[in-house]
């Protein structure tokens, strides 16, 4: 396992966890199953270049590793410290085209797409994210989707707006529990359902390079990871950390 940043919960070594014997890295359903309850995870960056990241559940039951190559994130169920790691043996790929990031499972199964809308002035706006989960209904990335139009059978999820304090000139999350530091990477996502928006994902900064990622149905582990990875490209533009 790659070393985690200091002052965070430490992952035990793989040989201590005996995960390989439990089928870890082989049971793909662990990564794509829809959770029945809220999942608590941590997302870690390893380099200032934002090209190597990891996510793991806080009960240490599962983790994923991602490495950025050119304009794509390759997502693995093992990391380079594992003797069985193979650079070419990635399971998912997050393709980046401008502000659109699409998640695919090898060889060509479309999973979801993320659209990031960047703010131009921090005191007047905030970064927005749109997430569309295909649920097997789509074979390709839709050209356009929003709250007024998205394909039948898909789940549409978008940013829950923060509250702006004009006196302090800061944004406040409606749910900031477990968030310890201010960051433009802090955000809430809500599922559009019957003209309501139900919170389904929260990302919040703990310390430099470390974020909590809490999620629930209809988001699964790999989709939550792709959302967190999308913020690395957001960071490369806003430079606020």
């Amino acid at each position: 396992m790659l070393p985690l940043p200091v002052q965070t919960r430490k992952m035990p070594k793989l040989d201590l966890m005996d995960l390989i014997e439990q089928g870890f890295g082989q049971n793909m359903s662990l990564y794509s199953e829809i959770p029945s309850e809220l999942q608590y995870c941590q997302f870690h960056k390893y380099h200032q270049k934002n090209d190597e990241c990891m996510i793991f559940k806080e009960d240490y039951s599962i983790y994923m590793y991602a490495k950025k190559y050119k304009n794509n994130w390759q997502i693995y169920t093992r990391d380079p410290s594992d003797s069985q790691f193979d650079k070419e043996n990635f399971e998912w790929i997050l393709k980046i085209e401008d502000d659109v990031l699409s998640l695919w499972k090898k060889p060509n199964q479309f999973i979801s797409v993320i659209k990031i809308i960047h703010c131009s002035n921090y005191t007047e706006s905030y970064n927005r994210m749109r997430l569309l989960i295909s649920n097997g209904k789509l074979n390709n990335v839709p050209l356009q989707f929003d709250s007024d139009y998205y394909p039948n059978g898909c789940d549409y999820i978008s940013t829950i707006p923060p509250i702006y304090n004009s006196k302090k000139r800061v944004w406040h999350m409606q749910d900031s529990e477990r968030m310890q530091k201010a960051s433009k990477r802090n955000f809430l996502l809500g599922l559009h359902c019957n003209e309501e928006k139900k919170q389904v994902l929260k990302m919040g900064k703990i310390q430099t390079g470390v974020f909590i990622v809490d999620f629930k149905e209809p988001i699964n582990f790999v989709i939550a990871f792709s959302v967190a990875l999308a913020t690395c490209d957001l960071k490369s533009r806003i430079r606020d950390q």
Side-chain angles (χ1 to χ4, degrees), residues 110-114 130-134 138 142 145 150-151 154-157:
F110 173 57
I111 305 296
S112 60
V113 58
I114 298 166
R130 298 173 184 169
L131 168 65
L132 185 73
I133 302 176
S134 72
L138 302 175
F145 61 93
Y150 55 92
C154 298
D155 289 315
Y156 177 72
I157 297 167

Side-chain angles (χ1 to χ4, degrees), residues 116-128 171 184 234 237-238:
I116 295 177
I117 303 172
H118 302 279
C119 70
S120 58
N121 188 320
Y122 183 75
T123 62
E124 296 177 357
S125 187
Y126 56 92
N127 294 296
R128 299 169 176 84
W171 293 100
K184 281 192 177 179
L234 174 65
R237 296 169 185 255
I238 59 179

Side-chain angles (χ1 to χ4, degrees), residues 172-180 188 199 202 212:
H172 293 288
M173 297 292 121
Q174 297 180 32
D175 175 12
S176 59
E177 184 179 0
R178 287 178 21 99
M179 295 182 183
Q180 298 180 13
L188 308 174
Q199 183 178 321
K202 171 170 57 179
I212 57 101

Side-chain angles (χ1 to χ4, degrees), residues 131-239:
L131 168 65
L132 185 73
I133 302 176
S134 72
N135 295 326
K137 303 298 182 181
L138 302 175
N139 295 321
N140 296 294
V141 179
L143 296 177
Q144 187 175 359
F145 61 93
D146 55 32
S147 59
D148 295 324
Y149 171 77
Y150 55 92
N152 291 332
C154 298
D155 289 315
Y156 177 72
I157 297 167
S158 66
T159 303
I160 297 176
I163 301 171
Y164 185 65
N165 185 319
S166 58
K167 292 184 179 180
K168 295 183 178 180
R169 302 182 68 184
V170 295
W171 293 100
H172 293 288
M173 297 292 121
Q174 297 180 32
D175 175 12
S176 59
E177 184 179 0
R178 287 178 21 99
M179 295 182 183
Q180 298 180 13
K181 293 184 178 295
S183 171
K184 281 192 177 179
R185 280 179 169 172
N186 293 354
F187 63 88
L188 308 174
L189 293 182
L191 171 69
H192 289 246
C193 182
N194 298 325
E195 298 184 357
E196 295 182 359
K197 191 180 284 190
K198 175 184 176 184
Q199 183 178 321
V200 293
L201 185 142
K202 171 170 57 179
M203 183 167 178
K205 187 174 182 179
I206 299 176
Q207 64 182 60
T208 301
V210 183
F211 297 79
I212 57 101
V213 180
D214 302 340
F215 66 92
K216 58 184 178 181
E217 182 183 6
I219 294 176
N220 59 29
F221 194 57
V222 66
I223 293 176
F225 194 19
S226 71
V227 170
L229 291 172
T231 68
C232 291
D233 288 271
L234 174 65
K235 164 67 187 305
S236 68
R237 296 169 185 255
I238 59 179
R239 304 291 183 186

